Amino acid sequence: MENLWISAGIVLNDDADLVTAQRELQRLMEKTVSEPGCIVFEIRQNLEHPQQFTLWECWTGEDALKAHFKTPHTLAYLELGLTRVNYIERLGPIQGDAIKLPEDK
C-alpha cells in the first residue's frame, strides 16, 4: 500500500488574529505528528503573505487520515474558525514510464 500525500493551501479568515492562528497551527502540528498513521504533518507560513500557509502531510492511508479528523485536537482547532482551506491536492508518485526530455534523445 502506498502512502497518502496531501498538500493544502490554508488562509487566515478575515476576522481571525494572526498570532492566535500561528499558535494554534503550531499546537495542531505538535499533536498531529504523534497520531497513529501520521508520517509527516508540517505547516509552513508564506513569507510574502503571512496570512497564508501551506500544509504538507503524509499518512499511511485513507483510514489514518479519516481518523485524524475525529481527534479531539483537530476538532478543537477546526472549531476555532481561524483559517479556511483554499485547495487540497492528493499527491502520488509520477505515473507511467520515465518521461524522455528533449536532451535525452
Side-chain angles (χ1 to χ4, degrees):
M1 175 193 256
E2 211 165 283
N3 292 334
L4 175 60
W5 284 89
I6 295 176
S7 173
I10 301 169
V11 65
L12 187 71
N13 283 331
D14 292 336
D15 59 344
D17 177 66
L18 180 58
V19 173
T20 301
Q22 291 167 320
R23 182 184 65 241
E24 295 301 327
L25 287 168
Q26 182 68 37
R27 182 175 293 151
L28 179 64
M29 280 192 305
E30 290 169 359
K31 292 182 181 248
T32 301
V33 295
S34 63
E35 288 180 35
C38 181
I39 299 168
V40 173
F41 192 89
E42 189 169 323
I43 302 171
R44 294 291 175 154
Q45 190 169 16
N46 186 309
L47 297 176
E48 295 173 358
H49 305 281
Q51 71 280 11
Q52 297 175 4
F53 305 86
T54 299
L55 165 63
W56 292 308
E57 55 188 313
C58 183
W59 299 90
T60 55
E62 192 70 38
D63 289 343
L65 176 62
K66 286 180 182 177
H68 164 67
F69 284 104
K70 296 177 183 177
T71 61
H73 56 269
T74 299
L75 293 171
Y77 176 78
L78 293 173
E79 183 68 26
L80 294 172
L82 298 169
T83 57
R84 66 185 179 279
V85 176
N86 274 350
Y87 69 84
I88 297 174
E89 299 175 314
R90 291 171 163 263
L91 306 169
I94 296 174
Q95 301 294 312
D97 295 333
I99 299 172
K100 295 243 183 226
L101 298 174
E103 60 270 11
D104 293 339
K105 292 182 183 178

